[in-house]
Amino acid sequence: MVDPLIASTKLSSAGLEAQSARLRVISENVANAQSTGRTPGSDPYARKTITFKSELDRALGASSVSVKEIGRDETPFPVEYDPGNPAADENGMVKKPNVNMLIEMADMREANRSYQANLQMMKQVRAMISSTIDLMRG
C-alpha cells in the first residue's frame, strides 16, 4: 500500500506539470496574437489548444492527469482591411490570428489558480510530513 502523503505529492506534481504546460501554450498564444503571415494572402498564427487525459496510476491507485496533445484551433481567421500590411492580399485584406485575448486571459487565470492549488497541496503535505517527524522525535 502506498503512503497517502506520497500519493498526494505525486498527484499534485502531475497537476503542476499539466497546468505549467497549459500556461506555456497560453503564453505562446498571447505572444503571437498579432502575428500575421509574411506573404500576401498567407495564413497568420493559428491559436494552439491543449487537451489533457486522465490516466490510472496503478501504483497509487488513483487517477492522474497528463497532457494528451497540443493542437491547433480550427476557428476561421478574422480578416481586416489593411492595404499597407505586407500580408495583405490583392484586395487589401489581411488574415488575423484567431486568438481572442479575453479567452486567453480567462484561461490563464484559471490555469494559474489551479497551479496555485496544486502547489498549496504540496506545501500542506510537506508540513504534515514535518509534523509527523516532529511527533516521532518528541
Side-chain angles (χ1 to χ4, degrees):
M1 174 144 190
V2 176
D3 181 21
L5 295 177
I6 292 172
S8 297
T9 302
K10 288 184 179 182
L11 293 174
S12 294
S13 175
L16 286 171
E17 287 179 29
Q19 295 308 320
S20 178
R22 185 176 176 196
L23 285 166
R24 279 192 301 274
V25 168
I26 293 168
S27 296
E28 188 173 331
N29 288 340
V30 169
N32 289 295
Q34 299 298 320
S35 299
T36 60
R38 295 177 186 230
T39 59
S42 63
D43 285 342
Y45 173 81
R47 179 180 181 261
K48 288 187 177 180
T49 60
I50 188 167
T51 54
F52 300 105
K53 66 180 176 181
S54 176
E55 51 189 24
L56 179 64
D57 187 333
R58 294 189 191 280
L60 297 177
S63 291
S64 184
V65 66
S66 64
V67 174
K68 181 179 180 182
E69 109 183 284
I70 296 177
R72 300 239 180 247
D73 188 349
E74 298 298 326
T75 306
F77 300 114
V79 291
E80 184 178 289
Y81 183 72
D82 186 6
N85 192 313
D89 62 12
E90 63 276 355
N91 299 324
M93 301 304 282
V94 178
K95 292 181 186 175
K96 294 291 192 174
N98 56 356
V99 176
N100 182 331
M101 291 300 286
L102 187 61
I103 291 173
E104 297 302 324
M105 291 297 116
D107 284 351
M108 184 178 288
R109 189 172 186 177
E110 182 183 345
N112 189 33
R113 285 187 177 175
S114 182
Y115 186 92
Q116 289 175 345
N118 281 297
L119 189 59
Q120 187 62 33
M121 183 66 186
M122 296 278 282
K123 289 178 182 178
Q124 290 293 336
V125 168
R126 187 174 62 190
M128 290 172 75
I129 291 172
S130 179
S131 294
T132 302
I133 290 171
D134 288 346
L135 285 172
M136 292 171 73
R137 284 185 188 154

